[in-house]
Amino acid sequence: MQELHDAPLAPLTTFRLGGPAARLITATTDAEVVAAVRAADESGTPLLVIGGGSNLVIGDRGFDGTALRIATTGFALDGTRLELAAGENWSDAVARTVEAGLAGIECLAGIPGSAGATPIQNVGAYGQEVRDTITEVVAYDRTLRETVTLTAAECAFRYRHSLFKDRPERYVVLRVRFALEDAGGLSAPIKYPETARALGVAAGDRVPAATARETVLRLRAGKGMVLDPADHDTWSAGSFFHNPVLTDEAYAAFLTRAQDRLGPDTAPPAYPAGDGRTKTSAAWLIDKAGFTKGYGTGPARISTKHTLALTNRGEATTEDLLALAREVVAGVHAAFGVTLVNEPVTVGVSI
């Protein structure tokens, strides 16, 4: 277990932003993770858990406490059962399951970050979510002071949310277990319209899992959503805002405002979200509110490839990023009456 003091945190995030931590511990085993968490709790020291750093916005002043970087490794495949250590690189793990001929997470290719973060956010993209395949999550429970195993039902997964996100101070994920599918090398049924169009198939069809993965990687790369140190469009947290999920009443009010602003034939993206709710597109809202690709003149700007990504052009500060985020939130609300909510976790700052 490595320990550093006054340690830079920006290099541990995909934004490459944020000040130093008073103390940075890098843990390479589950036992080291648990020991570091217990020590922080016993001493009353604030604790920041860092995985792949792809979903973090850390303030310029840094973190006055212990930052714990989880660097555990472990990829265990038994038939269609997969167990990943929290520190495993997620995108690499997806590639290995596809190489093994298994289906279920191939459309989650290219998503940056670690395996341990996936259940927290209920990571999803291109028609798949990890809740579709997660069976159990092993975590350290800081309240009970013991390691626990939670079933998928106990994780309370919903759109980009989970028990772990509801109670961030209680659980530290150690391992994640999945049930994948042996479909003879084929993918799970293709659900997402954009993926189906790119593949030239109908929704519900299967294709070779490797083809599905490669297609998703191309789609993501075209939006600046695959990490590339040379491409500032990828110096981001991916999608910065959640797609809003609106009640029927709120959606009707939004539709009226959209048609008043853009014309009576305007039909914003709309997807049934259950319980009398409708999900719409944050990217559409941002674009139609006037924040187009490449928007901004400072060191933090909207990606030139995708309106949903806010980016560091190389010399930004966290405050530069937050100023842009606040401008977008205010502009979308003024235009459509919808309040965007950020996806990344903020540390020492707020939008």
Side-chain angles (χ1 to χ4, degrees):
M1 185 159 59
Q2 182 188 69
E3 181 175 332
L4 299 172
H5 294 269
D6 196 27
L9 294 180
L12 302 182
T13 75
T14 52
F15 266 123
R16 296 165 173 81
L17 294 176
R23 182 169 176 246
L24 172 65
I25 292 175
T26 299
T28 58
T29 68
D30 289 356
E32 289 179 353
V33 172
V34 171
V37 175
R38 282 179 173 166
D41 288 347
E42 288 169 0
S43 64
T45 303
L47 180 69
L48 171 63
V49 177
I50 300 176
S54 59
N55 202 43
L56 279 178
V57 177
I58 299 173
D60 292 317
R61 299 178 110 184
F63 183 70
D64 188 16
T66 296
L68 171 60
R69 178 173 171 257
I70 298 181
T72 54
T73 57
F75 177 103
L77 195 56
D78 181 10
T80 58
R81 299 283 172 174
L82 171 67
E83 180 178 285
L84 297 176
E88 279 288 326
N89 179 281
W90 174 252
S91 190
D92 290 347
V94 172
R96 292 176 70 177
T97 65
V98 170
E99 288 170 4
L102 298 177
I105 56 175
E106 62 281 355
C107 290
L108 301 178
I111 293 176
S114 62
T118 61
I120 298 171
Q121 186 81 354
N122 181 25
V123 163
Y126 295 98
Q128 290 180 345
E129 292 180 310
V130 291
R131 69 172 165 182
D132 300 333
T133 48
I134 286 178
T135 58
E136 293 178 329
V137 175
V138 180
Y140 178 68
D141 185 328
R142 298 169 68 184
T143 299
L144 298 179
R145 296 175 56 80
E146 64 183 33
T147 298
V148 297
T149 300
L150 302 172
T151 66
E154 290 171 326
C155 293
F157 291 124
R158 53 200 186 277
Y159 174 68
R160 300 298 178 270
H161 218 92
S162 69
L163 169 71
F164 310 106
K165 198 166 184 181
D166 280 332
R167 309 188 73 175
E169 302 301 321
R170 178 165 180 176
Y171 297 100
V172 177
V173 174
L174 301 174
R175 296 190 169 264
V176 190
R177 295 171 180 153
F178 302 81
L180 304 179
E181 179 188 5
D182 185 350
L186 296 179
S187 68
I190 300 298
K191 296 179 181 179
Y192 199 67
E194 183 182 9
T195 316
R197 288 194 299 271
L199 288 163
V201 300
D205 287 351
R206 294 178 185 260
V207 299
T211 301
R213 173 180 173 270
E214 291 160 4
T215 299
V216 165
L217 286 173
R218 284 197 301 272
L219 290 171
R220 291 185 64 85
K223 300 172 183 177
M225 299 291 185
V226 176
L227 293 181
D228 179 354
D231 182 359
H232 285 289
D233 278 331
T234 74
W235 290 32
S236 75
S239 299
F240 195 87
F241 298 104
H242 290 289
N243 287 322
V245 177
L246 307 174
T247 64
D248 284 346
E249 182 180 4
Y251 184 79
F254 156 59
L255 182 59
T256 297
R257 291 186 68 158
Q259 291 177 340
D260 287 345
R261 179 183 178 91
L262 302 171
D265 295 329
T266 299
Y271 312 95
D275 300 324
R277 299 182 303 167
T278 300
K279 181 170 69 175
T280 192
S281 165
W284 187 93
L285 288 164
I286 293 167
D287 180 72
K288 299 303 181 185
F291 303 101
T292 54
K293 295 175 185 177
Y295 177 88
T297 58
R301 304 179 197 176
I302 290 177
S303 166
T304 66
K305 299 181 179 71
H306 199 289
T307 55
L308 201 47
L310 308 188
T311 68
N312 170 12
R313 308 316 292 184
E315 297 181 355
T317 64
T318 301
E319 277 305 311
D320 292 328
L321 177 76
L322 295 176
L324 176 61
R326 292 169 186 142
E327 183 183 3
V328 171
V329 170
V332 167
H333 189 269
F336 300 112
V338 175
T339 300
L340 295 177
V341 176
N342 51 290
E343 280 200 30
V345 174
T346 56
V347 177
V349 292
S350 60
I351 304 300

